[in-house]
Amino acid sequence: MRIQILALVSLFVLTLSCKNKQESNSTAGVEVNKSQEITEQEISKLKYIDYALDEKTEDAIEDWAQYRQLRDVIDDVKEGDLSFFNDNEKAIKLLLKELKDDIPETIASSSILARILVVETKFYKLESLSNLSTTSKEELLEAIQEFLVSFSNLNLQMNKKIEFDTRTIERP
């Protein structure tokens, strides 16, 4: 009889101690995620050249809705808001697929497609790092910088394409 009571008491103590360990582990995970939070000031300190679109380029891509959506994501990232990357896999795949498929004919070229591919690669890298709890703040800032640089290079390449296409060379 004493063995049964002793076994019940030890089982009760064992279940209580296991529950306390699980609660302490879950609070540690929250602290890791809070240490990953990126602020707008930290992103503004990143060193890269941010190319803006020329007026002619803006006119050429005014109907390209996926580019505007990507630009909105970029604006959110610059403010430190990475919520678009959290559990949004279908929307991300759809955005990137349509971005490549719906390129306006005026800027469609292999150089633009190459830059879009780089943006897509950096987009997926940033998504994966932002969803990992083991990512350090430095790694996340580096991925953000690479993503912003790739988008800036896409803008530069579109500007160059439109400038080259509108240039008229007269031969003597």
Side-chain angles (χ1 to χ4, degrees), residues 44-57:
S44 66
K45 291 179 184 176
L46 295 176
K47 302 284 186 209
Y48 72 100
I49 299 172
D50 192 11
Y51 293 103
L53 290 179
D54 191 24
E55 276 186 42
K56 295 175 186 176
T57 309

Side-chain angles (χ1 to χ4, degrees), residues 27-167:
T27 58
V30 171
E31 291 172 11
V32 169
N33 289 337
K34 286 184 180 180
S35 69
Q36 279 185 343
E37 288 183 16
I38 305 292
T39 64
E40 188 175 355
Q41 291 80 21
E42 291 170 329
I43 292 174
S44 66
K45 291 179 184 176
L46 295 176
K47 302 284 186 209
Y48 72 100
I49 299 172
D50 192 11
Y51 293 103
L53 290 179
D54 191 24
E55 276 186 42
K56 295 175 186 176
T57 309
E58 286 281 349
D59 294 339
I61 65 167
E62 67 184 348
D63 295 331
W64 196 12
Q66 292 78 18
Y67 177 82
R68 285 193 310 273
Q69 187 178 358
L70 179 62
R71 191 169 38 195
D72 292 341
V73 171
I74 293 289
D75 291 340
D76 289 344
V77 168
K78 286 180 180 179
E79 293 172 0
D81 181 17
L82 300 176
S83 63
F84 182 78
F85 299 101
N86 298 338
D87 299 326
N88 207 4
E89 190 173 328
K90 288 182 181 180
I92 291 171
K93 284 183 180 180
L94 182 65
L95 170 66
L96 294 173
K97 181 183 179 306
E98 289 179 351
L99 184 70
K100 290 187 286 189
D101 293 343
D102 298 338
I103 295 176
E105 290 182 25
T106 56
I107 62 164
S109 70
S110 59
S111 60
I112 301 296
L113 287 173
R115 297 308 184 276
I116 290 175
L117 184 62
V118 172
V119 168
E120 179 181 8
T121 304
K122 299 305 178 182
F123 198 97
Y124 282 129
K125 180 179 179 180
L126 180 58
E127 178 204 13
S128 65
L129 287 177
S130 68
N131 288 326
L132 287 176
S133 61
T134 57
T135 305
S136 70
K137 190 179 248 186
E138 291 78 25
E139 289 174 323
L140 198 55
L141 283 171
E142 183 179 329
I144 289 171
Q145 181 178 11
E146 290 174 359
F147 178 57
L148 295 174
V149 166
S150 68
F151 183 74
S152 181
N153 288 339
L154 173 64
N155 288 342
L156 175 65
Q157 194 64 39
M158 287 191 300
N159 285 340
K160 284 182 177 183
K161 169 81 168 110
I162 296 297
E163 181 182 342
F164 182 76
D165 290 347
T166 59
R167 188 174 64 180

